[in-house]
Amino acid sequence: AYAEGLQEQLLSLGLSLQQQGRHEEAIRVLKRGVHLARINNGLYSIDQIPLLQTEIASHMASGQFLEADERQMYLYRVQQRTLDRGEVRAQALMQQARWQRRAYDMGVGEQGFARLLTMWDLYRLALNDVVAQQGENSMELIAPLEGMLQSQYLIAGFQGETSSGGLGGDDIASRQNQGRFNAYRSQSYKRGQAVIQAMYDIEQENNGGDKVAAAESLVMLGDWMLWHGERDAAMKAYREAVAELTPREDAEVSLLSLFGEPEELPSIEGASQLPEPVDPEQANLRLQFGVDSRGKVVDLERIDENELNDAMANRVMRQLRRTQFRPRLAMGEPQDTETVTRAYEIK
């Protein structure tokens, strides 16, 4: 019953059941495998990791999100105690950070702001692991830095757990939590700038002659500034990006790619509060609007005749009105754009 080789067989059986969609059975088998691994090899043995990862996938497929969250936390404890600093542990930390973002989106468990702070901390730990192994100029640092920037966008844009923007609750713990989050958010602007600067420095160290990479980093910095209402500083960064690209033979194409159309902010993957745009043929909501030279949405209207109810459509439209855009630029100067369209599939 406790043979050491049995846990490998239980993992294989759990995977097979999972592939057949028999997730409840798979969970029972995989839990037994974790139990055996603990008995045979210790409470935090490394051979629990694939069993736990497979079990979490079945919890998710079954809609058991709280259970998945609990097992994810246990997986993190195992990883921290068994994995040495380096690429493998850095990848594990980033996976945990991505889970925190997913749980935040789904509203699983604890207050959302705590998820965002944990997300930042995990990406920062992953960054430290990569630095320790590969140095401060490794291109492998870009992935955790992107995660850190995504975290700062979410922290800075967090609206709170209540309609007034507070975290809720009048007890000491709630007030302490509110104070902790406010302290983090007060540093968000500087932290975001520092992350972008680090990404720029790494790109310059590895691709010093690549003007496109330099321009993209400057645009990223400008976006961060504009999103925080620092319009003059943002325009300065955008013009510096234009100056980087202008001497290139393909300058027109590169500038059109970056500044040819208004771009909603944040433009980095995973940080937008809007649904992902889809092909108009797949959409049940189509919107048309203009974007003025300050990046503000104007003349927003719905242009489809689908059956999506007004309440769901209005929720997206309210979010779009609040969204800051990077305006279209021509010769380094922001321009009004009369017609922009977006298509969404709202479920």
Side-chain angles (χ1 to χ4, degrees):
Y2 297 101
E4 289 194 18
L6 189 56
Q7 63 205 40
E8 294 181 7
Q9 296 178 36
L10 291 171
L11 176 60
S12 296
L13 177 58
L15 284 165
S16 178
L17 290 167
Q18 189 180 87
Q19 290 166 2
Q20 297 173 50
R22 297 160 63 182
H23 293 289
E24 292 295 337
E25 295 173 76
I27 289 168
R28 288 195 296 271
V29 167
L30 294 162
K31 281 184 180 293
R32 184 182 172 202
V34 171
H35 181 62
L36 288 179
R38 286 163 59 92
I39 289 173
N40 289 322
N41 301 311
L43 293 180
Y44 295 101
S45 57
I46 195 170
D47 46 358
Q48 294 177 75
I49 291 177
L51 289 156
L52 286 164
Q53 290 170 331
T54 309
E55 182 190 339
I56 289 166
S58 279
H59 281 304
M60 292 297 294
S62 302
Q64 299 171 357
F65 303 127
L66 282 172
E67 292 85 350
D69 190 41
E70 291 171 0
R71 298 307 268 175
Q72 194 77 43
M73 287 189 287
Y74 177 58
L75 172 62
Y76 175 67
R77 293 199 297 273
V78 173
Q79 290 169 329
Q80 285 297 94
R81 288 172 179 255
T82 59
L83 298 177
D84 295 328
R85 294 185 71 177
E87 182 179 352
V88 173
R89 196 174 79 158
Q91 290 298 324
L93 288 165
M94 288 192 286
Q95 186 277 323
Q96 289 287 346
R98 290 190 291 271
W99 166 255
Q100 293 299 322
R101 172 64 201 277
R102 189 173 184 185
Y104 167 75
D105 286 339
M106 294 187 298
V108 176
E110 61 186 310
Q111 291 172 314
F113 85 99
R115 297 277 185 194
L116 301 181
L117 302 188
T118 300
M119 180 182 170
W120 162 264
D121 288 338
L122 288 165
Y123 277 120
R124 183 172 50 80
L125 289 170
L127 181 83
N128 292 341
D129 272 13
V130 178
V131 169
Q133 293 293 316
Q134 301 189 34
E136 296 182 352
N137 296 313
S138 170
M139 288 296 293
E140 296 300 318
L141 295 169
I142 295 297
L145 284 168
E146 288 176 340
M148 292 168 70
L149 183 59
Q150 181 189 121
S151 303
Q152 287 304 321
Y153 264 119
L154 294 169
I155 289 169
F158 185 74
Q159 296 299 311
E161 308 290 351
T162 68
S163 59
S164 63
L167 298 174
D170 224 4
D171 53 52
I172 293 175
S174 295
R175 289 196 295 272
Q176 288 175 337
N177 285 338
Q178 180 77 62
R180 179 173 174 243
F181 186 77
N182 289 342
Y184 260 76
R185 184 152 58 179
S186 68
Q187 297 296 316
S188 181
Y189 184 68
K190 290 182 178 179
R191 284 177 173 165
Q193 278 187 305
V195 168
I196 296 168
Q197 183 64 52
M199 295 169 70
Y200 176 80
D201 291 343
I202 290 168
E203 291 283 1
Q204 288 297 100
E205 184 69 26
N206 290 274
N207 305 297
D210 188 346
K211 298 293 186 182
V212 174
E216 288 174 346
S217 295
L218 288 166
V219 170
M220 192 182 299
L221 180 61
D223 288 347
W224 178 253
M225 292 170 167
L226 184 61
W227 195 75
H228 281 83
E230 301 290 338
R231 186 172 182 274
D232 291 342
M235 291 302 143
K236 181 175 181 292
Y238 293 150
R239 291 184 185 109
E240 289 176 1
V242 171
E244 287 280 353
L245 294 173
T246 300
R248 291 173 56 91
E249 292 184 1
D250 62 348
E252 185 175 350
V253 174
S254 299
L255 289 170
L256 194 62
S257 174
L258 287 173
F259 300 117
E261 295 289 339
E263 177 74 22
E264 53 258 54
L265 303 179
S267 63
I268 66 168
E269 183 178 356
S272 175
Q273 298 298 313
L274 288 167
E276 189 71 22
V278 299
D279 188 283
E281 294 182 359
Q282 301 174 336
N284 57 3
L285 176 63
R286 294 179 62 213
L287 303 173
Q288 181 173 290
F289 53 96
V291 175
D292 67 19
S293 62
R294 300 184 67 85
K296 301 301 182 183
V297 171
V298 296
D299 302 326
L300 175 62
E301 61 178 337
R302 184 176 178 180
I303 57 173
D304 66 84
E305 297 181 357
N306 295 313
E307 295 181 357
L308 180 70
N309 68 61
D310 289 340
M312 298 178 74
N314 289 339
R315 186 164 61 248
V316 177
M317 293 173 74
R318 283 195 300 272
Q319 183 61 51
L320 189 57
R321 286 191 184 95
R322 293 195 296 266
T323 297
Q324 174 69 56
F325 276 70
R326 179 201 313 147
R328 177 173 60 90
L329 263 64
M331 303 297 290
E333 296 301 320
Q335 308 292 318
D336 292 338
T337 303
E338 291 185 1
T339 304
V340 180
T341 59
R342 291 290 186 271
Y344 304 104
E345 184 182 14
I346 308 301
K347 298 179 181 178

